[in-house]
Amino acid sequence: MTGIASIRTYKTESLPGSIRIFVHPDHRRKGIGKELLKHSVAEISKTGVSEVLFYTSSSAPAGSLFAEKLELKKEYDYSSNRLTISEADDALLNEWLDYPLGAEQEIFMAVWHNLTPEDRYGDLVCFYQKVHDAEKGQPGFVEYTYTEEKFRQREKAMNKTGSQCLTIICSAADTGEILGMTDISWSPSRPEVVFQGYTAVLPSVRRKGIGKRLKAEMLLHVKKNIPEAVFIRSGNTNYREPILRINEQLGFRCTNTVTVWKKGISALKAVTGGKKNSSI
């Protein structure tokens, strides 16, 4: 096999589709990537999407050159990071358990295993929507509406894979409003690798240490309850500086950087209409 391409689209019309192209190193600069792209664009255009995302990795520099020749628009960088759990500083984690300092309202922490409690779906939807809407104007932002049913479907799909999921929630003691959350997942067949998922804090209560408290609670929980875990892997967009700083303090190190690119369907058709034996 010299190359392969895959496309992905979503039922939500406002979300762009995506195309991923892989060409064997021994067969690059022979026009294979462009031919795969032409076929991929033809197929994905049938779905009605107007824009397409592409992803390149720092571990394969040829991908960025391919994107630049296609005149794709660079959206943002996404870094993959890894923490060796044994290297996490317990003294720092225990210090962060005292956050948030000087909080104006009392909080309580909760741990959810796999499923969201039935009476909390509404609160979770509200939290996600507020955090999402606050990112309007950031690279890659698209309008999206969260619903309880979407969360139920996601959890159902996760359970079918056999993966385990754990969520730690920080809520206001008086109203029950979710102020922040973080979640992880792992496979029982490979418990040495834990995947850090979503971590967020409501815009109205940021800069109070809630993010640090959540991260500390999660790491200490992993150390105590998942003794087989060796690494935690995390991914973050480059504009989420607060969480990047927290991860750096915890000892996470970047292992790879993915760049996200975008281009409209009509422009892609024009770009891929060149000579068949292009060096792209």
Side-chain angles (χ1 to χ4, degrees):
M1 182 180 293
T2 58
I4 187 172
S6 65
I7 64 174
R8 183 175 184 178
T9 58
Y10 301 88
K11 293 181 179 180
T12 304
E13 294 181 358
S14 61
L15 294 175
S18 65
I19 295 176
R20 293 177 181 267
I21 296 174
F22 303 91
V23 178
H24 192 283
D26 294 341
H27 297 279
R28 290 172 183 165
R29 302 191 64 80
K30 297 179 181 180
I32 295 173
K34 188 171 183 180
E35 285 301 307
L36 287 170
L37 178 64
K38 287 173 65 175
H39 289 288
S40 299
V41 170
E43 288 300 315
I44 203 169
S45 62
K46 297 176 184 178
T47 68
V49 299
S50 59
E51 294 182 314
V52 180
L53 299 179
F54 296 82
Y55 305 88
T56 59
S57 170
S58 60
S59 62
S64 293
L65 295 176
F66 183 79
E68 290 169 358
K69 286 187 176 182
L70 291 173
E71 299 181 345
L72 304 183
K73 178 186 175 183
K74 183 177 179 179
E75 288 287 284
Y76 56 88
D77 289 326
Y78 182 92
S79 61
S80 296
N81 309 288
R82 188 178 74 174
L83 170 69
T84 301
I85 296 173
S86 62
E87 296 177 359
D89 186 345
D90 283 350
L92 178 65
L93 297 179
N94 283 298
E95 177 185 328
W96 285 4
L97 291 181
D98 291 331
Y99 284 99
L101 298 175
E104 299 175 357
Q105 60 185 151
E106 292 187 16
I107 64 169
F108 70 89
M109 311 297 291
V111 179
W112 300 346
H113 293 272
N114 293 326
L115 297 177
T116 300
E118 189 61 35
D119 63 344
R120 295 290 266 162
Y121 277 108
D123 296 326
L124 191 64
V125 168
C126 184
F127 172 80
Y128 265 80
Q129 199 65 59
K130 286 181 178 179
V131 172
H132 176 76
D133 293 346
E135 292 192 345
K136 191 169 186 176
Q138 294 285 8
F141 178 87
V142 293
E143 296 290 347
Y144 187 80
T145 301
Y146 291 92
T147 66
E148 294 185 21
E149 183 57 29
K150 288 177 181 177
F151 279 104
R152 289 190 176 92
Q153 290 178 356
R154 187 181 71 173
E155 291 173 354
K156 184 178 180 180
M158 176 73 78
N159 287 337
K160 281 186 176 180
T161 67
S163 296
Q164 296 295 301
C165 182
L166 184 132
T167 304
I168 293 183
I169 299 290
C170 174
S171 301
D174 53 351
T175 65
E177 180 183 24
I178 296 176
L179 305 177
M181 63 157 290
T182 186
D183 62 36
I184 59 171
S185 62
W186 69 97
S187 171
S189 63
R190 196 186 178 195
E192 66 272 17
V193 181
V194 174
F195 295 92
Q196 172 70 66
Y198 191 66
T199 300
V201 176
L202 279 184
S204 60
V205 292
R206 288 175 183 169
R207 300 183 183 277
K208 298 179 182 294
I210 293 176
K212 290 181 177 179
R213 172 70 178 273
L214 288 165
K215 285 285 194 174
E217 294 272 5
M218 182 63 80
L219 256 173
L220 290 171
H221 185 95
V222 169
K223 283 191 168 190
K224 180 180 179 180
N225 298 288
I226 316 177
E228 305 91 345
V230 178
F231 303 109
I232 295 182
R233 291 181 177 173
S234 175
N236 301 97
T237 49
N238 60 352
Y239 58 81
R240 293 193 172 98
E241 295 181 1
I243 195 64
L244 289 173
R245 286 196 297 269
I246 289 175
N247 282 349
E248 185 176 349
Q249 287 178 271
L250 289 172
F252 279 87
R253 296 293 178 263
C254 182
T255 57
N256 185 45
T257 299
V258 172
T259 300
V260 181
W261 311 75
K262 184 169 71 174
K263 201 174 186 70
I265 282 288
S266 57
L268 279 171
K269 289 180 178 178
V271 170
T272 57
K275 295 181 180 180
K276 185 174 182 180
N277 293 324
S278 167
S279 62
I280 294 179

